[in-house]
Amino acid sequence: MVEILIGAAAFGRRIDEAYQKLKLSVGSNQDRQQRALENAFSTSTFIYGTVGPVALHAAAGNRGNAAARGAAQWVKHTKDNLLAKGVNPEAGVRFLNREFKLYDPGPRTAQLVAGNYQMMDMYYGMDNTLFRNRIPAIAEFVHYAMQFDKMGVPFDPNVSGRDAFKQAFNTSNEGWNMDFTQRRVYGQSATQEMSKIIREGISRYGGRLIFEGKAVYGAGIFDLAARQGDTDREAQALFQNFNVRGTPMVPLGQGILEFQWGGQATTPTRAHFLTNWSYAGPSIHGVANRIHMTDKTQTQTGHLNRLMGPNHGLRPIWNNFVNFPLSVYREINRLRGLTVHTSNQTAADNMRDAINLLTLAIHS
């Protein structure tokens, strides 16, 4: 009798069993196949982080909305405040736009092509041939860890994970639309389970995992009230590995996790995530996407002050990131040095000025 391992608690056993089952072809040496799997992970780079196709293909998008236009009443005050303290707000906003690449989406697809990376999407697949780019040894491992073979579907490199899933579960449902059966077997959706298997493979056997954060909406990752999609949950799991010491790369078990922003290794900060916070129609990095206020009586500056402080109300992983890159504070001091208003500024002053500049950049 075939035993289906049920629930999230059995995840480790599913991984161990999959490793023992590797036999890509009849009569192949199991040890050789296990070494091939370990080598496949240790020499590969996976890239995560995605956004809907409508947003990617309409990057110019909508540059504003009524709420953003209404914010003009305090934008002038913010500019005047910075000028009074010797900071050139126009130059500062230009710097932030360059620093955060606000109008350059840098979609993950471009990095995939340039870097010959693997994507989790290849292992589930869509109604296309993307799955043919997956590494066979890893695909077989994922197939067994998903227990598709136990459900009567042998591994076939010419069959996508999507088709194998639908056959195994005898369903027309998609793997990201979690139903009762998926939740019972995996504790989550099938696509989330595949993603977790790949992360576990990198953690056990090595390799590199890139999280491209630029095109991912920050609210889904950090806001308890926001919708949680596959990418948001992946980010929540991965971001446990970062800390406020601030580096683009951190260990992921035996592998490496690297944060990128627009295709470049970047130390993630709260300010990065806030520049692309919410979905707002067919646009990405337009004004309407940036941090949406919940309390309309606050100024944008006051709202950002709260989110940058200890009582932010977001998920605890928000505490793993510093507010701004050091380069922002250096630029503020440089801008002060170019004016006659130069004075000794405290760390709190630097923070306030950085938030004021981000406020202006959000509405630029």
Side-chain angles (χ1 to χ4, degrees):
M1 182 177 177
V2 175
E3 180 190 12
I4 304 293
L5 300 176
I6 299 296
F11 178 77
R13 285 183 61 195
R14 290 197 289 269
I15 294 293
D16 292 339
E17 279 195 4
Y19 183 74
Q20 295 301 322
K21 284 184 177 180
L22 289 169
K23 51 180 188 303
L24 193 60
S25 60
V26 176
S28 65
N29 180 279
Q30 186 186 54
D31 289 341
R32 185 166 65 245
Q33 292 308 123
Q34 290 171 343
R35 288 194 299 272
L37 174 73
E38 294 168 5
N39 182 66
F41 271 113
S42 66
T43 58
S44 295
T45 296
F46 281 81
I47 185 163
Y48 281 20
T50 189
V51 68
V54 173
L56 276 182
H57 295 299
N62 173 26
R63 291 300 186 210
N65 60 14
R69 289 191 297 271
Q73 61 184 319
W74 67 78
V75 167
K76 183 179 183 301
H77 170 76
T78 303
K79 286 183 177 179
D80 291 344
N81 183 47
L82 286 167
L83 281 169
K85 295 200 301 183
V87 177
N88 182 331
E90 283 75 19
V93 168
R94 286 196 299 272
F95 170 79
L96 282 186
N97 285 340
R98 292 195 306 272
E99 180 72 21
F100 296 107
K101 307 178 187 70
L102 293 184
Y103 302 114
D104 174 19
R108 180 183 60 166
T109 305
Q111 289 127 265
L112 165 70
V113 173
N116 193 29
Y117 297 152
Q118 292 281 292
M119 296 163 63
M120 193 283 287
D121 311 55
M122 294 174 179
Y123 291 83
Y124 180 73
M126 297 296 291
D127 190 16
N128 55 32
T129 60
L130 183 65
F131 75 94
R132 295 192 181 279
N133 295 305
R134 62 189 178 171
I135 297 172
I138 298 179
E140 185 188 8
F141 174 70
V142 170
H143 187 93
Y144 296 148
M146 294 294 291
Q147 303 183 99
F148 294 157
D149 60 314
K150 290 184 176 182
M151 302 177 196
V153 183
F155 175 68
D156 183 341
N158 296 309
V159 174
S160 70
R162 176 178 183 258
D163 289 343
F165 158 77
K166 290 191 172 190
Q167 186 178 344
F169 279 78
N170 189 27
T171 183
S172 60
N173 196 16
E174 292 290 355
W176 58 80
N177 291 327
M178 180 168 52
D179 56 26
F180 172 79
T181 306
Q182 291 179 57
R183 187 182 296 109
R184 179 171 178 269
V185 175
Y186 305 125
Q188 57 186 349
S189 74
T191 51
Q192 290 165 11
E193 183 78 354
M194 286 185 179
S195 175
K196 185 177 180 181
I197 291 165
I198 291 169
R199 296 197 303 269
E200 181 67 15
I202 294 170
S203 180
R204 289 192 182 202
Y205 311 123
R208 180 169 166 243
L209 174 57
I210 293 171
F211 188 91
E212 169 54 60
K214 185 170 176 56
V216 179
Y217 300 113
I221 303 171
F222 299 107
D223 189 341
L224 291 161
R227 174 188 175 276
Q228 308 294 298
D230 281 8
T231 302
D232 305 312
R233 292 185 175 89
E234 288 164 356
Q236 289 162 17
L238 293 171
F239 287 0
Q240 305 289 342
N241 297 278
F242 286 99
N243 57 64
V244 291
R245 288 195 295 273
T247 58
M249 288 177 283
V250 293
L252 183 63
Q254 297 299 311
I256 294 292
L257 169 62
E258 178 178 323
F259 184 86
Q260 290 191 0
W261 186 261
Q264 299 179 26
T266 302
T267 298
T269 68
R270 292 174 173 181
H272 281 100
F273 299 116
L274 289 169
T275 63
N276 194 39
W277 193 250
S278 301
Y279 179 73
S283 63
I284 185 169
H285 296 286
V287 174
N289 292 89
R290 303 182 201 166
I291 180 63
H292 288 185
M293 294 168 57
T294 54
D295 182 355
K296 299 302 182 183
T297 65
Q298 283 187 315
T299 63
Q300 184 79 56
T301 303
H303 192 58
L304 289 172
N305 264 306
R306 179 177 65 80
L307 294 180
M308 296 292 197
N311 300 316
H312 47 72
L314 302 174
R315 293 180 186 277
I317 54 172
W318 188 244
N319 297 324
N320 291 8
F321 304 100
V322 294
N323 286 319
F324 285 93
L326 286 175
S327 58
V328 172
Y329 300 115
R330 294 192 192 103
E331 182 67 9
I332 288 171
N333 286 323
R334 189 189 74 81
L335 292 169
R336 286 195 186 106
L338 297 178
T339 73
V340 297
H341 302 287
T342 302
S343 61
N344 293 324
Q345 299 288 330
T346 66
D349 290 327
N350 276 347
M351 180 65 180
R352 280 193 292 270
D353 290 349
I355 289 177
N356 283 334
L357 285 175
L358 184 61
T359 299
L360 298 180
I362 282 173
H363 294 288
S364 65

